Amino acid sequence: MRLLLMADTHVPRRARELPEELLAEVARADVVVHAGDWVDTATFDLLQARSRRLIGVYGNNDGPALRARLPEVAYAELGGVRVGVVHETGPARGREARCAERFPELDVLVFGHSHIPWDSVAGDRLRLLNPGSPTDRRRQPYRTYMTAEVSSGRLSGVELHRLPPRR
């Protein structure tokens, strides 16, 4: 099962539209995960229409229309892997311990908010993944997203993808 992970798309505030490379990945993914800050409902509708399965949450920049359609925290079992999605996890310092305590039942937690890619393990179990942002790199060198594979109850092949500079 192929996963596409993204967060902080901020359309149309930070970009007019999602990058074509990212939309091509949507077509290849079995599950698309969005960790909040969509900003507009059109992006949600687009991904919902193009995705085989979409799992998403709202972020701090998402208004009432998105909050009415999305949860603050989403949970899914994907091929035997227990996945959670949330927008904010707090400061980087202490993140692993906080998340392991808050989400003891999960194998993987996908989060956003910082626009900073993150891949770590809390204790010996919980994998924490932040795909960065495909539209707003902020102080990062690249705009990014992640892909991963789930097979036989295991997450593997987590890859951070860098998007080329916008023209």
Side-chain angles (χ1 to χ4, degrees):
M1 176 183 310
R2 184 169 175 84
L3 309 182
L4 170 60
L5 313 177
M6 68 179 85
D8 298 288
T9 48
H10 291 273
V11 173
R13 291 188 190 153
R14 303 287 186 199
R16 288 186 299 272
E17 58 192 13
L18 295 177
E20 285 301 317
E21 181 179 329
L22 184 71
L23 292 174
E25 285 289 344
V26 169
R28 289 189 281 274
D30 297 300
V31 180
V32 175
V33 178
H34 192 300
D37 273 4
W38 311 70
V39 178
D40 72 344
T41 57
T43 300
F44 175 80
D45 293 337
L46 173 72
L47 289 177
Q48 190 171 45
R50 292 189 181 192
S51 301
R52 289 185 190 108
R53 181 174 180 189
L54 177 63
I55 301 168
V57 297
Y58 66 78
N60 61 300
N61 284 296
D62 295 326
L66 284 163
R67 289 173 185 244
R69 297 172 72 183
L70 293 161
E72 181 178 11
V73 181
Y75 299 94
E77 187 276 322
L78 302 174
V81 176
R82 299 166 300 176
V83 177
V85 185
V86 67
H87 184 62
E88 294 186 60
T89 60
R93 183 182 200 112
R95 177 174 287 139
E96 284 85 1
R98 266 193 323 278
C99 291
E101 184 176 318
R102 182 176 175 196
F103 301 103
E105 71 286 2
L106 295 180
D107 300 310
V108 177
L109 179 66
V110 180
F111 67 98
H113 188 60
S114 68
H115 299 215
I116 300 171
W118 186 280
D119 185 351
S120 69
V121 177
D124 61 349
R125 185 190 49 75
L126 179 63
R127 184 91 176 255
L128 300 170
L129 298 173
N130 183 331
S133 171
T135 57
D136 183 18
R137 65 182 181 88
R138 282 196 187 157
R139 294 171 296 280
Q140 299 303 300
Y142 300 97
R143 298 172 298 131
T144 59
Y145 65 92
M146 286 178 169
T147 56
E149 297 287 332
V150 172
S151 178
S152 303
R154 297 181 57 96
L155 181 77
S156 64
V158 174
E159 185 176 349
L160 180 68
H161 299 268
R162 297 174 172 175
L163 290 161
R166 281 193 281 236
R167 290 180 245 157

